[in-house]
Amino acid sequence: MLLYWENSYEIVLTLMERYPDVPVESVGMDQLYRMIVELPEFADDPRLANEGILRDILREWYEEESSE
């Protein structure tokens, strides 16, 4: 499945699978951006990212981790 910025939940699941030992609380915006655009499944334009998109993905990742 190809990932685009609007697929935040799928991006989160992929990040959790790819980086299971990374504590989400320690991930900064720049690191998160690099982690996402380096995913083999990521197919969107990296230049479309903005702080709001990254913040939403980070929040969703934190919430998903907290619910387990």
Side-chain angles (χ1 to χ4, degrees):
M1 173 182 179
L2 296 179
L3 299 172
Y4 298 90
W5 289 117
E6 64 266 8
N7 305 120
S8 60
Y9 185 69
E10 290 79 8
I11 289 173
V12 167
L13 294 180
T14 304
L15 289 171
M16 290 173 65
E17 181 179 307
R18 180 86 23 114
Y19 303 102
D21 298 326
V22 173
V24 67
E25 306 85 25
S26 72
V27 177
M29 292 296 176
D30 290 337
Q31 181 183 7
L32 178 64
Y33 173 81
R34 285 191 308 278
M35 291 167 82
I36 294 169
V37 299
E38 291 173 0
L39 292 171
E41 303 89 349
F42 186 74
D44 211 340
D45 184 347
R47 296 173 294 179
L48 296 176
N50 60 49
E51 189 173 332
I53 290 171
L54 294 172
R55 190 174 32 243
D56 289 346
I57 291 171
L58 196 58
R59 178 184 41 77
E60 197 162 349
W61 187 1
Y62 179 80
E63 290 172 358
E64 190 66 27
E65 286 279 321
S66 298
S67 69
E68 289 187 348

